[in-house]
Amino acid sequence: MTDAPQNAPSAESATSAAAPSTIACDIFCSVIDNFGDIGVCWRLARQLAHEHGWQVRVFVDDLHAFAKLCPALDVARATQTVEGVVVEHWHERAHAGDTLQIADVVIEAFACELPPVYVMAMARREQRPVWLNLEYLSAEDWVADFHLRPSPHPRYPLVKHFFFPGLQPGTGGVLKERDLDAARASFERSAKVRAAWWQRATGGKPPAPDATVISLFAYENAALDSLLAQWRDSVTQIVLLVPQGRISGAVARFFGLPAFEAGAHATLGALHAHGLAFTEQRGYDPLLWASDLNFVRGEDSFVRAQWAARPFVWHIYPQADDAHLPKLDAALDHYAQSLSATARAALERFWHAWNGRGTPDWADVAPHLPEFRARAASWAGELARAGDLAGNLAEFAKTQLK
Ligand code: TRH
């Protein structure tokens, strides 16, 4: 392999970065906002490296967002290796690392647009790379039709394939690490492990078994005040776990506090709230496993809640012209499908209210929690039929590399 200066890629530079037996993969990620873009890319990168033995580089334009979920990252370094994955700060659109090495598999996450110099070099590479555009997750039916559709480049002899995550067989599936179910099972089996988790997360003991534990990861939400008031007035005890973030200010205002950051505690009526630190990405799963109901958002936490096999409420990423609402309903169609008619209607009302359509009614939804819990477990089994996204992607790439 020969390296070439960034802005002058030669034909020689456009060769494989990997030893013949190892698949080299470059993932390009532009952080639009929050943590989902890099959250998905980082999870995928680790799986491809650790479970498939690929040599992976991640090009990411926002190291600060990345460092929130990967504290081992040094935001001052342009290139570094973390957990066996090379991380390059993608600091300008035209940049693609100090040397231009073209991988066997190139993943353009969420249509972020590869640097033109990199695409040129891809076109000159002796064996053309497999080029995938990893799309956002949607549960809509059209996804299976568009998954893996090829799109020839208008100028170069390159073909890009659209890789669509989805909840149904025939789509790209969603990310799931091989050891995830075992990790959840050992957390659920061990009272000692759970007690240690509560001590670390809240500084206290696990709550009484009859309390309802709720995790709250959400965008700003006009329905929050009403829901907090309903929990305050609930006849059963509610333990609310709030990772610090966009909703923390509103929780603080409800309790009449100046802030509600990690380590905060507040009680009003039946509502006992704890502020939690935003953890390293793997640390988020135990929060979901420790809870009876999880409020999640965006894309990656939405997927993790499904693998946690616990009831959840999805705050979908809002789009212009309410384009997100059909996506919310498509997910509900699959997830709520086998619920009884009353439980299903209550869940729909609650999800809609949490997404700006109506007022959430805790008394309407709470009696169905046991049924939701049973459904959450069966749904995790159904979802697994779509396969793990990293495995599906690796399989497809290998067929193209033959
Ligand atoms: O942060 P999100 O809202 O992310 C996104 C982006 O907004 C993106 O632009 C949008 O297109 C996409 O959603 C749909 O929500 P998400 O996807 O759930 O990502 C959050 C990540 O943060 C996820 O990987 C879990 C992680 N996380 C931690 O690592 N530690 C924590 O303590 C918490 C609460 C979350």
Side-chain angles (χ1 to χ4, degrees):
M1 180 184 69
T2 312
D3 295 337
Q6 167 64 43
N7 294 320
S10 65
E12 290 83 358
S13 74
T15 54
S16 171
S21 55
T22 309
I23 293 176
C25 173
D26 281 350
I27 302 176
F28 286 82
C29 173
S30 174
V31 175
I32 307 297
D33 56 9
N34 307 316
F35 307 107
D37 305 289
I38 187 58
V40 169
C41 290
W42 179 228
R43 207 180 277 294
L44 173 62
R46 279 182 302 171
Q47 268 193 268
L48 291 174
H50 304 163
E51 297 181 6
H52 298 274
W54 288 16
Q55 182 185 311
V56 183
R57 284 193 303 185
V58 174
F59 291 85
V60 55
D61 61 359
D62 184 347
L63 291 181
H64 290 274
F66 192 0
K68 287 273 281 178
L69 42 85
C70 175
L73 198 78
D74 180 348
V75 294
R77 292 182 66 183
T79 304
Q80 59 201 295
T81 301
V82 184
E83 295 189 40
V85 174
V86 176
V87 177
E88 294 261 1
H89 186 199
W90 185 15
H91 54 75
E92 46 185 285
R93 304 302 317 167
H95 172 89
D98 293 332
T99 56
L100 198 64
Q101 304 163 336
I102 304 302
D104 304 294
V105 180
V106 179
I107 301 174
E108 181 179 1
F110 314 124
C112 66
E113 280 198 30
L114 301 181
V117 66
Y118 189 95
V119 178
M120 266 193 304
M122 281 165 72
R124 279 203 307 277
R125 191 181 192 260
E126 200 179 317
Q127 187 186 16
R128 300 275 143 66
V130 178
W131 183 3
L132 300 171
N133 183 45
L134 175 64
E135 294 286 342
Y136 285 114
L137 169 62
S138 171
E140 291 166 298
D141 287 340
W142 57 263
V143 163
D145 293 335
F146 283 80
H147 178 51
L148 297 181
R149 279 222 187 152
S151 162
H153 193 279
R155 289 193 308 285
Y156 299 129
L158 291 168
V159 177
K160 171 156 72 176
H161 285 88
F162 290 92
F163 197 95
F164 276 92
L167 305 184
Q168 292 298 301
T171 69
V174 291
L175 293 168
K176 184 187 190 190
E177 296 83 358
R178 286 179 188 157
D179 60 1
L180 181 62
D181 285 340
R184 177 166 64 89
S186 67
F187 183 89
E188 288 173 351
R189 246 193 332 262
S190 167
K192 204 169 148 203
V193 169
R194 288 199 306 279
W197 182 86
W198 277 93
Q199 186 62 42
R200 262 195 320 278
T202 70
K205 292 189 174 16
D210 57 349
T212 303
V213 179
I214 299 174
S215 80
L216 186 64
F217 183 47
Y219 308 117
E220 294 80 356
N221 196 315
L224 180 65
D225 261 6
S226 150
L227 197 51
L228 291 172
Q230 293 173 51
W231 287 334
R232 176 197 61 205
D233 301 336
S234 157
V235 285
T236 58
Q237 300 298 302
I238 305 286
V239 174
L240 185 66
L241 305 175
V242 189
Q244 59 190 140
R246 288 177 55 174
I247 211 160
S248 302
V251 174
R253 279 190 295 282
F254 179 80
F255 286 105
L257 296 170
F260 203 77
E261 298 300 326
H265 306 283
T267 292
L268 270 179
L271 175 61
H272 312 275
H274 303 279
L276 268 53
F278 192 96
T279 63
E280 186 269 335
Q281 195 180 37
R282 269 175 291 241
Y284 180 54
D285 291 312
L287 170 61
L288 302 169
W289 306 333
S291 302
D292 300 304
L293 176 67
N294 293 301
F295 284 70
V296 292
R297 71 184 205 195
E299 177 161 327
D300 192 53
S301 57
F302 165 62
V303 171
R304 304 315 280 184
Q306 294 171 68
W307 293 134
R310 299 295 164 101
F312 70 96
V313 180
W314 186 23
H315 197 178
I316 193 170
Y317 186 79
Q319 289 178 279
D321 303 324
D322 286 343
H324 55 286
L325 293 179
K327 295 182 187 161
L328 185 80
D329 283 335
L332 264 173
D333 281 348
H334 295 296
Y335 180 65
Q337 173 185 181
S338 60
L339 290 172
S340 66
T342 45
R344 185 189 167 131
L347 189 71
E348 279 179 8
R349 280 191 292 275
F350 201 81
W351 276 37
H352 284 169
W354 192 240
N355 285 278
R357 298 278 158 112
T359 306
D361 182 355
W362 181 242
D364 180 39
V365 87
H368 302 291
L369 281 175
E371 187 178 342
F372 295 156
R373 182 140 178 172
R375 173 56 185 154
S378 70
W379 169 247
E382 283 173 41
L383 182 60
R385 295 205 296 251
D388 156 52
L389 189 149
N392 290 339
L393 187 148
E395 276 309 304
F396 175 73
K398 280 193 254 168
T399 61
Q400 299 297 298
L401 286 170
K402 272 182 193 154

